[in-house]
Amino acid sequence: MKLLSPELIVVEKSALALPYTPKILSKFDGVELEVVDDVKNRKKPSSENYNDNVLMITDYKGNIIKKCPGSKGVLCCNYYVANLINGCPYSCTYCILRDYINCGSVMVCANIDKFFDELDKKRVDGFILRVGTGELADSLAFDPDLELTNELLPRLKDYPDVILELKTKSANIENILRHGDACSQVVIGWSLNPQEIIDSDEKGAVSLLERFLAAKRCADAGFRVSFHFDPVILIDGWEDKYKSVVDMFFSGIDCDKIAWVSVGGLRFTPSLKKIYQNHYPNSKILAYGEFVMCPDGKYRYFRKYRVDMYRKMVGFIKNYGSSIPVYFCMEPDQVWREVFNCLPCEKHELSLTYNPYPY
Amino acid sequence: MINEIRTVSLNQIDLNDKTFCFSYPLSYSENEVFVKSADEYGIISPVVLRMNHWGGYTVVCGFRRLFWAKINNVQEINAAIINLDGLSCFRLAVSDNLSTRRLNIFEVSTVIDKLIGLFGIQLSVIIKDYLPLLGYPPNINILDRFRFISNFSEPQKKLLYESNIEIEKIIAFAHLDKEAWDNAIDILLKLKPGVNKFNQIIDLIKEISQRENISQKTLLDEPSVKDIVFNEESHFSRKTDMLRDLLSKRRNPTLSKFEEEYLYKYKRLKLKNNIKVIHPQSFEGDTFKAEIVFKDSVELKSALSALAVVCDDKSLDSLINFTTNI
């Protein structure tokens, strides 16, 4: 299914000379093209229009790679984000992008060389740098059209301490599978939820089964995979439903191929809560569990619920191997101690990410 | 544009044709400026009319003046006769009103409804051209607010208008089922909550209804709710807090029970009024705060001594353990 069907392509003048730009343009023959000096100066139409079906190709001047911003008072997992694409075709009700990105356009940075230059400056010899493209985008949703993985994966071998994570709710793995020689440096991550939640709150994303089959193909092809139970939503009977998801993935996929697993409870800013309510009046996700305002200004489930949820989720996962690296996203040390009786840096399987780090 | 000023018999004017009317309320009170003027001098400013297909006239501007004239048995009235298309007439009516007053939210809503439904104007044009004309920024959210208002029934609109309810509270009704709107209007009128508290109450109603699989109306019709809303003895701000607390406890039973237990343990510390031990925000974290209020060194010494005694009290350990080891 073609997820990217722009009515207009806006290209920065300086991006026209970049090698990746004509490759993108060749995929959208016949689409109106507008060349601008700087996409930032293009008026955001979101205040006047319902939709903004525009693909923007930029020669991005700012930092493409940034440290994951984390949140006040929570433990950091030393992750870096590379915002090469901004925008996502899926309509997940809980998605933080609804708060951060307020128009429907998709932006792709065509200056791939700059990404690798930044990568070279960030990396430190002898330490693994984890970087992902899935913060402001689904890493693979547009890959059949944009083929960004074809630009990135062949060049990773020049940066052997770098692991690139591609997080997705799609099954678009065909391009990746063509780059088997990059498998030691690529982790393909799937965001997982029970099918019931996919149906109600992840409109447009592929089914759980399709995610499983895609993950299995990647693992069987030698790639490592990651799974992100984030957000866990405490729907009625959530324990059985999430356990079924864990069982499906962890019994069907070689656990040695699982690079890491994250678990995070539903969390949202007050402004995102308003967006939930306005855009998805029938969504029930805010009605489950009990939320409190946390010191970082986000609502989370009351700690009692979160700790209980984490203990159970970790139990479900560790049934398949005590050394599977499981970490919590955006949680304070208190929660780590209550679940694991220790901090992440004290856990051997997480030493890759949480130990004292140069980054 | 104005073809002529002429004297027109009231019988020739079709007061039932409200194509160009958006005034709300259409009735007038004796205190209005134009009524006082009309009572003394009659209708001075000509109304604006357009000839209709039957040889009579459709009112473009001046409905309320014409109603006054009819009630006061005026037979003829001065009128400016125009010959414009429907949309131009409507724009004229809007501009004419805006030259003397700001339209209320119900009128803006009607103007937008008519632009869409009657004159087929595209939403993007309304946002770009008409919202600024009406005094609002060209923003789709603003448009959506006004479009929402047209969902209220006439009696509901009347109550909201007469109680001068702000648009921020009115748009909060979008989160409620329509069958619960009358109950929500009761809450607005009887409790007079601020916007934030009203929004909190609505969120709680919606979430309880979803959690418990009951309709919002069923919840709001429960005696425990009605007893608060229709309690004639309590002050409205007290009633607002009571309703919010009632709903909050029901929405968050575990948290509420935890807070109650915390309060029970806290009371066992028997702290003086000028000393407070404050738990971590939302019970997140393990850092407590102590707050002492004092006027002089004597009071401070006394408070510190009292606090020192509390430090040796097992009740404090119990409170801390309870909070940090959930």
Side-chain angles (χ1 to χ4, degrees):
Chain A
M1 185 176 68
K2 197 170 176 68
L3 289 169
L4 196 54
S5 305
E7 289 165 5
L8 173 70
I9 299 177
V10 177
V11 190
E12 277 182 347
K13 200 183 281 178
S14 58
L16 285 170
L18 299 169
Y20 184 31
T21 303
K23 294 180 193 171
I24 301 172
L25 293 177
S26 70
K27 295 277 186 169
F28 301 100
D29 272 350
V31 178
E32 187 187 344
L33 190 69
E34 182 184 323
V35 179
V36 296
D37 287 332
D38 188 340
V39 291
K40 274 190 285 188
N41 296 336
R42 190 176 171 271
K43 191 177 173 234
K44 265 192 183 172
S46 60
S47 61
E48 292 179 13
N49 290 324
Y50 282 105
N51 292 309
D52 182 25
N53 193 6
V54 176
L55 171 64
M56 293 192 274
I57 304 173
T58 74
D59 174 17
Y60 190 65
K61 307 291 189 300
N63 290 330
I64 294 173
I65 301 177
K66 293 169 190 157
K67 181 116 192 234
C68 172
S71 212
K72 182 187 159 196
V74 302
L75 291 183
C76 169
C77 68
N78 297 308
Y79 194 76
Y80 277 76
V81 291
N83 295 324
L84 285 158
I85 302 177
N86 286 8
C88 181
Y90 307 134
S91 300
C92 300
T93 52
Y94 51 74
C95 182
I96 197 79
L97 294 186
R98 308 223 153 262
D99 198 9
Y100 294 160
I101 302 175
N102 63 357
C103 65
S105 59
V106 173
M107 191 174 85
V108 55
C109 301
N111 37 353
I112 303 297
D113 286 346
K114 186 171 188 299
F115 164 75
F116 282 106
D117 287 347
E118 287 183 26
L119 205 56
D120 201 32
K121 284 176 189 148
K122 296 274 183 219
R123 54 170 284 281
V124 177
D125 278 341
F127 291 92
I128 296 294
L129 174 72
R130 292 187 312 142
V131 60
T133 56
E135 191 204 22
L136 300 182
D138 182 292
S139 297
L140 299 176
F142 298 127
D143 208 53
D145 295 316
L146 299 178
E147 298 188 357
L148 180 62
T149 50
N150 290 342
E151 302 298 312
L152 301 181
L153 271 50
R155 295 175 65 175
L156 276 178
K157 61 180 181 302
D158 298 331
Y159 310 87
D161 334 342
V162 171
I163 292 178
L164 176 67
E165 186 183 27
L166 302 163
K167 275 188 208 173
T168 189
K169 287 185 185 122
S170 79
N172 298 331
I173 53 168
E174 301 305 329
N175 289 335
I176 294 172
L177 294 178
R178 280 196 279 270
H179 300 284
D181 48 348
C183 68
S184 63
Q185 285 182 263
V186 177
V187 171
I188 306 115
W190 275 271
S191 175
L192 300 180
N193 257 314
Q195 186 61 44
E196 175 183 335
I197 292 176
I198 294 172
D199 290 340
S200 61
D201 291 279
E202 296 182 359
K203 288 280 165 7
V206 303
S207 70
L208 191 66
L209 179 62
E210 287 171 277
R211 292 180 212 188
F212 168 75
L213 293 173
K216 183 160 173 51
R217 278 185 71 200
C218 287
D220 290 347
F223 286 88
R224 286 191 299 158
V225 294
S226 61
F227 300 122
H228 300 280
F229 294 91
D230 194 357
V232 172
I233 300 172
L234 300 182
I235 52 175
D236 294 336
W238 70 269
E239 293 98 329
D240 290 343
K241 290 166 186 170
Y242 278 92
K243 184 174 184 304
S244 297
V245 178
V246 170
D247 290 343
M248 176 182 186
F249 278 74
F250 289 71
S251 65
I253 289 169
D254 178 0
C255 287
D256 289 340
K257 290 291 177 197
I258 298 174
W260 51 76
V261 180
S262 77
V263 187
L266 179 65
R267 55 202 177 274
F268 49 89
T269 57
S271 55
L272 186 61
K273 182 176 182 181
K274 278 209 182 319
I275 294 170
Y276 283 157
Q277 291 169 328
N278 292 333
H279 287 246
Y280 306 102
N282 298 321
S283 171
K284 284 184 164 187
I285 61 172
L286 297 182
Y288 300 110
E290 299 177 32
F291 294 98
V292 293
M293 174 56 78
C294 291
D296 63 354
K298 288 178 184 164
Y299 288 105
R300 284 180 176 78
Y301 291 121
F302 180 36
R303 202 173 91 237
K304 185 179 172 65
Y305 282 90
R306 297 203 321 274
V307 169
D308 175 62
M309 178 270 284
Y310 287 129
R311 283 179 181 151
K312 286 175 178 159
M313 286 298 291
V314 169
F316 300 154
I317 294 163
K318 294 279 183 180
N319 271 342
Y320 290 92
S322 57
S323 61
I324 297 172
V326 181
Y327 68 95
F328 305 139
C329 195
M330 304 252 187
E331 286 293 356
D333 53 1
Q334 185 181 28
V335 169
W336 279 89
R337 283 202 189 91
E338 285 176 323
V339 179
F340 284 123
N341 282 320
C342 68
L343 293 175
C345 58
E346 294 158 357
K347 291 187 73 64
H348 172 71
E349 69 270 22
L350 292 173
S351 60
L352 180 72
T353 53
Y354 283 92
N355 267 354
Y357 229 55
Y359 297 119
Chain B
M1 186 172 63
I2 294 175
N3 294 48
E4 60 177 306
I5 303 282
R6 78 169 72 137
T7 303
V8 175
S9 163
L10 242 66
N11 293 334
Q12 291 178 280
I13 303 171
D14 183 358
L15 286 172
N16 291 320
D17 183 348
K18 299 200 174 61
T19 305
F20 306 118
C21 178
F22 50 82
S23 295
Y24 189 86
L26 199 47
S27 58
Y28 57 82
S29 76
E30 293 302 317
N31 295 326
E32 287 187 51
V33 176
F34 97 87
V35 176
K36 285 181 181 166
S37 161
D39 285 344
E40 196 166 350
Y41 305 109
I43 301 291
I44 300 167
S45 308
V47 296
V48 181
L49 306 175
R50 184 176 79 158
M51 196 163 268
N52 63 26
H53 297 301
W54 299 275
Y57 296 95
T58 300
V59 184
V60 177
C61 307
F63 268 97
R64 296 202 296 173
R65 278 172 280 165
L66 285 163
F67 285 133
W68 179 91
K70 196 175 177 188
I71 288 167
N72 287 278
N73 283 321
V74 174
Q75 301 298 313
E76 292 180 326
I77 194 163
N78 281 336
I81 310 300
I82 58 168
N83 182 19
L84 293 172
D85 63 86
L87 179 60
S88 300
C89 285
F90 192 61
R91 279 191 71 119
L92 172 68
V94 172
S95 300
D96 183 56
N97 275 276
L98 286 170
S99 66
T100 55
R101 68 191 181 93
R102 190 177 167 87
L103 306 189
N104 67 48
I105 55 174
F106 298 99
E107 292 173 323
V108 175
S109 167
T110 306
V111 168
I112 288 169
D113 258 17
K114 289 199 169 185
L115 285 169
I116 297 167
L118 211 54
F119 300 110
I121 306 296
Q122 287 186 340
L123 298 183
S124 57
V125 176
I126 294 174
I127 293 167
K128 195 162 153 263
D129 295 343
Y130 285 90
L131 282 181
L133 175 74
L134 294 162
Y136 294 93
N139 187 300
I140 191 160
N141 294 328
I142 303 284
L143 178 74
D144 287 344
R145 284 174 165 212
F146 286 115
R147 292 186 75 190
F148 173 70
I149 290 173
S150 64
N151 291 309
F152 287 95
S153 69
E154 198 50 42
Q156 288 169 337
K157 254 194 217 178
K158 191 166 182 287
L159 282 170
L160 294 169
Y161 172 80
E162 286 172 351
S163 306
N164 206 14
I165 303 295
E166 306 97 302
I167 190 166
E168 284 73 20
K169 291 180 192 166
I170 293 174
I171 57 166
F173 280 69
H175 300 296
L176 291 175
D177 297 336
K178 219 168 175 178
E179 64 164 13
W181 283 7
D182 284 334
N183 301 68
I185 290 174
D186 285 337
I187 291 172
L188 274 180
L189 303 190
K190 301 279 183 189
L191 276 60
K192 300 182 174 56
V195 174
N196 288 343
K197 285 189 180 175
F198 186 57
N199 278 325
Q200 285 169 11
I201 288 170
I202 285 195
D203 284 354
L204 290 167
I205 292 166
K206 185 174 176 181
E207 288 171 19
I208 292 168
S209 147
Q210 286 181 328
R211 282 165 73 90
E212 299 182 10
N213 273 326
I214 56 169
S215 78
Q216 295 167 358
K217 184 166 172 51
T218 304
L219 171 64
L220 292 173
D221 279 338
E222 285 184 10
S224 57
V225 175
K226 290 207 150 189
D227 284 351
I228 294 173
V229 174
F230 294 100
N231 179 340
E232 298 296 337
E233 286 165 15
S234 298
H235 188 263
F236 52 79
S237 63
R238 170 89 184 113
K239 290 200 287 183
T240 301
D241 291 340
M242 284 165 67
L243 180 61
R244 198 177 49 162
D245 289 349
L246 176 85
L247 296 172
S248 187
K249 277 183 184 164
R250 185 148 160 190
R251 166 65 185 85
N252 302 304
T254 309
L255 182 59
S256 299
K257 193 163 171 269
F258 193 84
E259 282 168 340
E260 274 171 24
E261 276 186 63
Y262 177 86
L263 199 60
Y264 172 75
K265 288 180 182 293
Y266 184 84
K267 281 181 180 165
R268 280 169 46 189
L269 295 178
K270 294 179 182 157
L271 292 168
K272 290 180 179 174
N273 286 340
N274 63 335
I275 305 172
K276 276 184 186 159
V277 172
I278 302 162
H279 64 69
Q281 179 193 352
S282 307
F283 304 105
E284 290 283 328
D286 48 14
T287 311
F288 287 74
K289 286 182 201 166
E291 186 182 282
I292 299 171
V293 179
F294 61 95
K295 284 185 196 149
D296 50 35
S297 57
V298 176
E299 272 193 19
L300 177 59
K301 268 184 194 167
S302 163
L304 288 172
S305 303
L307 206 51
V309 171
V310 170
C311 288
D312 294 330
D313 189 338
K314 282 182 181 167
S315 299
L316 181 63
D317 290 335
S318 164
L319 183 82
I320 291 171
N321 286 336
F322 172 74
T323 309
T324 52
N325 301 316
I326 286 180

